[in-house]
Amino acid sequence: MFDYLVVGAGFAGATIAERLAGHGDKRVLICDKRPHIGGNAFDYYNEHGILIHKYGPHIFHTNSVEVFKYLSRFTEWRPYEHRVRASVDGQMVPIPINLDTINQLYGCHFSSQELEAFFASVAEPRKLLKTSEDVIVNRVGRELYEKFFRNYTRKQWGLDPSELDASVTARVPVRTNRDDRYFTDTYQSMPLHGYTRMFERMLSHPNIHILLNSDYRDIRQLVPHKHLVYTGPVDEYFDYCFGKLPYRSLRFHWQTLDVEQAQAAPVINYPNDHLYTRVTEFKYLSGQRHSKTTLVYEFPTAEGDPYYPIPTSANAAQYAQYQALADATPTVHFLGRLGTYKYYNMDQVVAQALAAYARLAGVTRREIAA
Ligand SMILES: Cc1cc2nc3c(=O)[nH]c(=O)nc-3n(C[C@H](O)[C@H](O)[C@H](O)COP(=O)(O)OP(=O)(O)OC[C@H]3O[C@@H](n4cnc5c(N)ncnc54)[C@H](O)[C@@H]3O)c2cc1C
C-alpha cells in the first residue's frame, strides 16, 4: 500500500513526491503516461549529441530564494541570462522593447527620458486594462502594438489580443533603459547537467517508486494508495463533465545544422512573418560546445498536448466550475499547470507544490525546507 499516488512527474509531481518521501517519510508511487520523467521540462541528447528540450525551450528564472535553494539540492547551476531578438521591419531588434529597440527601429538617438516622452506621446490611454490589447496600446501606442504584439499574439493564441486577458501581455515589460535581458529575476540559471538529471536526483529517494508509460485512468484501480496528488488536466479527472477546457498547443519542427552557431541570439521571435512564432538555438541555453547546432521552430496549434491554458474570462468561468468540484473532493490534491489550469512558470509550480506539501504535512514553509 502506498501512502500517496502522485499523477504526473513534472515539476509539480516531482516536488511533492520528493517532499512526501524525503521530509514526510511517506511511501510514494509517481506515475506518468509519458515514457520519461520531467514533464514538459524533459531534456535529452538528440541523435547528434546536442542537449535539447523536447517540449520547447525552458529557461529557469525566479525571485524566490526558497525555490532556488530547494532545487539547488538536486542540481548545480550554469548562470544564464536569456536574450531574445525580434525580426521586425527587416531588422533584428531586442525584445522586450527597450531603448535600443526603438533607436534601432526608427534610426533615432533617444535618451531614456526622451523615450518615456515618446511613449507618452504615442500611447492611447485606456481607463480599464481588461485585455492584452489594452495593456500594450495604453503603454506604447498602436504602431508598436501592431509591429511587435498583435500578430505574434494571434499566432500564439489563435485569438486577437482584444480577446485575451490583460495577464498575457502584462508579463511582457517595456523598458526605457538598455537592459536587453528577457527576465530580470534575482536567480537566472540553467541546471548544469540539464533538467532530466535534476529530476532523476529529486526522485532517487528509496521511498519513491516511478511508473512510466502509465495513464492514471488505467492504473487507479490497480495501485493501492491512501491519498492522491493529481497534476494532470483537472477537466480530464472529472471526465470533462463541464466540457473540455481549452488549451493551446505547439508543433515543433527540429533542424540540425553543420555549423557551430546559426543565430545571433538564443531565440528569434517572428511576430509578422512565417507561421512559426519563434526559433530557439539550444546551445545558447546549455553552453554546450559542438560542431553542429540544433534549432526548434514553434508552430502554435489548437490540437495536441495541452500546453498553455488559454486565459479568457469564459475559460476562467469554465475552470471555476471544475475548481468548485476539486474543492469538494478533499481526498485529491490538484496541483500544477494542468491541475489548476493556470499559466504558471516552473518556479511557480515548485512554490505551489512546496506550499501544498506544507499544508498536507501541517508544517510551516520554513520547516519543510529543512
Ligand atoms: C513550450 C513551453 C515553454 C515553456 N517555457 C518555460 C520557461 O522558459 N520557463 C518557465 O519557468 N516555464 C516555462 N514553461 C512552463 C513549464 O513547462 C511549466 O511551468 C511546468 O512544466 C509545469 O509543471 P507541471 O508539473 O505542472 O506540468 P507538466 O510539466 O505538464 O507535467 C504534468 C505531467 O503529468 C502527466 N500526465 C497528465 N495526465 C496524466 C495521466 N492521466 N496519467 C499520468 N500522467 C499524466 C503528463 O504526461 C506530464 O508529464 C513552458 C511551457 C511550455 C509549454
Side-chain angles (χ1 to χ4, degrees):
M1 168 76 80
F2 288 97
D3 295 310
Y4 280 85
L5 171 60
V6 176
V7 178
F11 267 102
T15 301
I16 199 148
E18 189 285 325
R19 285 293 68 196
L20 283 166
H23 183 272
D25 200 27
K26 302 290 184 210
R27 277 174 49 77
V28 180
L29 180 76
I30 184 165
C31 75
D32 204 297
K33 62 183 181 185
R34 288 170 170 166
H36 58 72
I37 57 173
N40 284 345
F42 173 69
D43 56 12
Y44 70 105
Y45 288 88
N46 68 9
E47 67 273 31
H48 305 282
I50 297 170
L51 185 64
I52 60 168
H53 301 174
K54 179 168 180 167
Y55 303 97
H58 278 68
I59 320 298
F60 185 80
H61 57 101
T62 187
N63 283 318
S64 163
V65 62
E66 180 195 22
V67 168
F68 190 72
K69 266 187 164 174
Y70 171 71
L71 291 177
S72 299
R73 298 173 183 195
F74 313 105
T75 187
E76 295 158 74
W77 299 95
R78 169 179 179 265
Y80 172 74
E81 290 183 328
H82 193 50
R83 286 181 169 78
V84 179
R85 296 281 176 272
S87 169
V88 171
D89 292 349
Q91 303 197 55
M92 292 289 176
V93 293
I95 185 90
I97 292 176
N98 70 14
L99 184 59
D100 290 324
T101 314
I102 301 299
N103 282 339
Q104 202 179 318
L105 196 68
Y106 293 122
C108 51
H109 302 281
F110 285 143
S111 66
S112 290
Q113 264 185 338
E114 287 165 340
L115 181 58
E116 197 56 77
F118 169 76
F119 285 152
S121 73
V122 293
E124 287 178 17
R126 302 261 164 118
K127 275 211 179 92
L128 272 180
L129 302 184
K130 272 182 73 182
T131 70
S132 286
E133 178 184 307
D134 293 337
V135 172
I136 302 297
V137 170
N138 177 68
R139 178 77 176 104
V140 297
R142 185 149 296 273
E143 184 168 309
L144 291 169
Y145 162 73
E146 299 279 352
K147 284 186 193 300
F148 286 92
F149 295 98
R150 185 164 195 207
N151 294 329
Y152 191 92
T153 306
R154 288 166 82 147
K155 269 197 272 185
Q156 174 74 12
W157 295 100
L159 291 171
D160 192 79
S162 59
E163 300 169 275
L164 277 170
D165 277 4
S167 60
V168 177
T169 41
R171 293 162 63 98
V172 185
V174 173
R175 303 184 183 129
T176 53
N177 59 20
R178 303 188 63 195
D179 186 350
D180 67 344
R181 293 171 306 161
Y182 201 71
F183 305 111
T184 52
D185 301 49
T186 315
Y187 303 99
Q188 303 189 42
S189 35
M190 299 292 283
L192 185 61
H193 303 293
Y195 289 103
T196 303
R197 179 73 70 82
M198 181 177 77
F199 277 96
E200 283 167 2
R201 290 176 67 180
M202 289 174 84
L203 297 177
S204 66
H205 194 281
N207 278 5
I208 301 178
H209 297 260
I210 304 172
L211 193 61
L212 299 176
N213 298 304
S214 302
D215 194 308
Y216 166 68
R217 290 166 296 186
D218 300 331
I219 62 155
R220 61 184 150 189
Q221 310 293 358
L222 308 174
V223 176
H225 58 279
K226 293 183 196 155
H227 307 279
L228 181 65
V229 176
Y230 187 85
T231 77
V234 61
D235 53 348
E236 181 183 291
Y237 182 86
F238 291 112
D239 294 325
Y240 307 104
C241 63
F242 300 121
K244 219 168 180 321
L245 285 168
Y247 282 94
R248 198 71 177 151
S249 192
L250 292 169
R251 179 171 67 78
F252 298 110
H253 170 73
W254 301 90
Q255 185 181 44
T256 297
L257 300 172
D258 261 326
V259 293
E260 276 195 38
Q261 196 182 83
Q263 295 194 155
V267 173
I268 311 278
N269 283 0
Y270 292 89
N272 305 311
D273 318 311
H274 310 297
L275 291 175
Y276 46 85
T277 45
R278 60 179 185 175
V279 183
T280 300
E281 184 167 5
F282 283 98
K283 279 167 61 187
Y284 279 101
L285 279 48
S286 62
Q288 191 181 357
R289 292 183 164 234
H290 199 292
S291 57
K292 297 184 182 194
T293 193
T294 298
L295 308 170
V296 68
Y297 296 67
E298 292 177 40
F299 294 83
T301 57
E303 299 301 321
D305 274 3
Y307 288 152
Y308 299 107
I310 303 177
T312 65
S313 43
N315 298 348
Q318 193 183 354
Y319 168 62
Q321 294 181 288
Y322 283 112
Q323 192 178 12
L325 214 48
D327 291 345
T329 316
T331 49
V332 185
H333 307 279
F334 293 90
L335 286 183
R337 230 188 209 210
L338 305 170
T340 54
Y341 197 64
K342 292 259 160 31
Y343 189 89
Y344 281 138
N345 281 327
M346 298 180 281
D347 64 319
Q348 294 172 304
V349 169
V350 172
Q352 186 197 44
L354 290 175
Y357 174 70
R359 275 197 309 277
L360 277 180
V363 293
T364 64
R365 297 274 286 264
R366 189 183 285 256
E367 279 174 84
I368 56 159

